[in-house]
Amino acid sequence: MESLIPELAGLARETALLYPRSGEPGVRDSSIGGPLLWPAGEPWPLCAEPGHWKPLRTPTEVVGPEPVAMVPVVQLYARDVPELPFPMGTDMLQVVWCTLIHDDHGDAVLPKLYWRSEQTVAAGAVLSCQPEPYEYEEEFMPRPCTVTPTRTVEYPNADLPGDLTLKLSRRFEEIEAETGFSYYETATTLQSKVGGYPSWVQEPQWPDCRCGRRMEHLLSITATEPVDGRWFPRDEQEPETPDSSRCTTADHAVVDTIGHGMDMGDLGGIYLFVCPECPDMPYAHRYDC
Ligand SMILES: [Zn+2]
Ligand SMILES: [Zn+2]
């Protein structure tokens, strides 16, 4: 990419694409929407945010005042995704969120992050029956999925600086006409992933940490996952026929297993950010659709 477009020098970022597929992950597996390795003695996270609501709920859209159980969204072990910025002494990340809509927190879910040591949790009693919310919003409720972290290098999509976008758009078109490869389809990814660039579907909205630094992208959970094209796994493609060598589509048996099933508004995403410079690793989230 950089030999074709030298202006991209320095913009490459490593990312681990997660490829969620519906399945039955266990508490010792990395997953999206799977069960968490949770200490039995620790209270399950509840959301008591006043006014959180569920669209079209009757007789009232507002849920509460009884707190609502959060749901498991992400669990990642260092053995699967070592590139996460694990704080000292931890080797697993858990993300839960309240699936309801929170007007004061980006009009979407309210996530919570936990960094833990697998060994420490597993040495004690582990929660066997995880509480379920008495009310939830389907578009942010994931089905259990296995993940297959897959490394690649990507370049910015929506995060391409404005002057570069202007400068390079003609060149992108020329390269596509010449080679058949679109910059955005081959050099950028918009799917669930760790690191790399956020999978924005709208304009970037990076959060700043209280220390003044811009936070770093931790991971993206997106409604869409590739079902064809460059980023679709080869072993899930339909067997090739002589005239389909460049046409890669999903095998019918695979299609229904792709993704965690969350619509996230109009096929948007939730993006998590952290500040690894601050000792307690503050985090923030953004939502677009
Ligand atoms: Zn809530
Ligand atoms: Zn900070």
Side-chain angles (χ1 to χ4, degrees):
M1 192 52 66
E2 287 173 43
S3 63
L4 283 172
I5 310 172
E7 290 89 340
L8 293 173
L11 293 176
R13 282 194 189 172
E14 290 184 0
T15 179
L17 307 173
L18 291 176
Y19 292 106
R21 297 292 182 266
S22 74
E24 296 178 2
V27 295
R28 302 300 281 266
D29 296 320
S30 291
S31 64
I32 289 181
L36 304 182
L37 185 73
W38 192 270
E42 186 175 315
W44 187 260
L46 305 173
C47 182
E49 197 71 21
H52 57 186
W53 59 284
K54 172 182 169 162
L56 304 180
R57 179 176 186 257
T58 54
T60 159
E61 294 195 330
V62 172
V63 179
E66 298 79 21
V68 180
M70 293 189 166
V71 303
V73 181
V74 175
Q75 177 166 269
L76 294 172
Y77 286 95
R79 57 175 172 275
D80 298 319
V81 193
E83 53 267 73
L84 280 165
F86 292 101
M88 189 82 79
T90 72
D91 58 3
M92 60 188 295
L93 165 67
Q94 295 171 332
V95 180
V96 297
W97 67 39
C98 173
T99 67
L100 299 170
I101 311 298
H102 304 77
D103 291 342
D104 296 337
H105 300 275
D107 299 328
V109 300
L110 190 53
K112 209 166 173 185
L113 274 61
Y114 297 85
W115 301 92
R116 301 184 188 278
S117 150
E118 177 183 14
Q119 198 186 351
T120 305
V121 179
V126 172
L127 190 66
S128 57
C129 187
Q130 305 189 358
E132 287 175 14
Y134 66 86
E135 187 68 274
Y136 62 87
E137 170 53 20
E138 291 85 358
E139 62 181 318
F140 296 111
M141 184 76 166
R143 62 178 178 177
C145 287
T146 60
V147 292
T148 307
T150 305
R151 273 87 203 165
T152 190
V153 167
E154 69 172 346
Y155 290 85
N157 188 317
D159 280 303
L160 197 65
D163 53 337
L164 263 190
T165 308
L166 276 178
K167 190 172 166 194
L168 295 179
S169 57
R170 171 79 63 85
R171 195 108 54 86
F172 288 161
E173 284 168 20
E174 289 167 2
I175 289 171
E176 186 168 355
E178 228 169 85
T179 65
F181 292 111
S182 138
Y183 167 78
Y184 292 102
E185 282 169 20
T186 56
T188 77
T189 71
L190 292 181
Q191 59 194 93
S192 298
K193 60 178 157 183
V194 168
Y197 289 93
S199 296
W200 309 116
V201 295
Q202 302 290 343
E203 285 298 296
Q205 30 169 342
W206 288 81
D208 288 326
C209 181
R210 58 170 186 262
C211 69
R213 295 181 182 88
R214 193 174 85 164
M215 287 186 159
E216 293 182 11
H217 175 233
L218 182 71
L219 58 89
S220 287
I221 301 295
T222 58
T224 49
E225 295 290 334
V227 294
D228 57 21
R230 174 172 186 201
W231 304 110
F232 189 70
R234 196 164 291 176
D235 59 1
E236 294 182 334
Q237 290 169 8
E238 275 191 327
E240 269 185 25
T241 56
D243 59 345
S244 72
S245 56
R246 292 197 65 182
C247 169
T248 58
T249 52
D251 194 303
H252 291 299
V254 172
V255 171
D256 290 342
T257 71
I258 295 175
H260 43 62
M262 293 186 280
D263 288 342
M264 310 181 106
D266 188 11
L267 302 180
I270 300 280
Y271 319 103
L272 293 174
F273 302 84
V274 292
C275 176
E277 305 296 329
C278 284
D280 57 340
M281 188 102 86
Y283 57 88
H285 73 286
R286 293 288 185 264
Y287 167 61
D288 69 9
C289 72

